[in-house]
Amino acid sequence: MPESKSRKKPAKVKAPQVKKPETGNPRWLVPTMLTLMLLGLAWIVIFYLTSSGLGLPIPALHNWNLVIGFVLIIAGFALTTRWK
């Protein structure tokens, strides 16, 4: 029987590896995160220090001022999840 000619296998072409650009933090992330946390802390501290006399920061909200302060702090902590 005649022998068949061997076939050359096509060379496997690998796609060039494209490096992903290293993405860091957006420039606004850290200042915004820290500002929100410090603003929330300041809101709560001012409320506690002035609740008996001056009625700051917003007297009509009474204890809802605590909720506003904690929401600001939680928003700051939520931004920490995006920090690389």
Side-chain angles (χ1 to χ4, degrees):
M1 284 192 110
E3 293 183 25
S4 63
K5 295 181 180 178
S6 65
R7 294 185 183 177
K8 283 189 172 182
K9 293 182 180 178
K12 291 184 180 179
V13 178
K14 291 185 180 180
Q17 293 181 353
V18 178
K19 292 184 180 179
K20 292 181 182 177
E22 293 183 20
T23 57
N25 296 325
R27 296 185 77 171
W28 57 267
L29 181 69
V30 175
T32 305
M33 174 182 68
L34 292 175
T35 301
L36 285 172
M37 287 191 276
L38 292 174
L39 185 63
L41 178 66
W43 192 287
I44 292 172
V45 168
I46 289 172
F47 171 70
Y48 271 120
L49 292 178
T50 63
S51 63
S52 62
L54 298 175
L56 292 174
I58 302 175
L61 294 179
H62 302 291
N63 285 335
W64 283 99
N65 283 307
L66 294 175
V67 174
I68 293 170
F70 280 114
V71 165
L72 290 170
I73 291 171
I74 290 169
F77 277 115
L79 285 177
T80 61
T81 62
R82 298 187 58 174
W83 193 5
K84 296 177 186 173

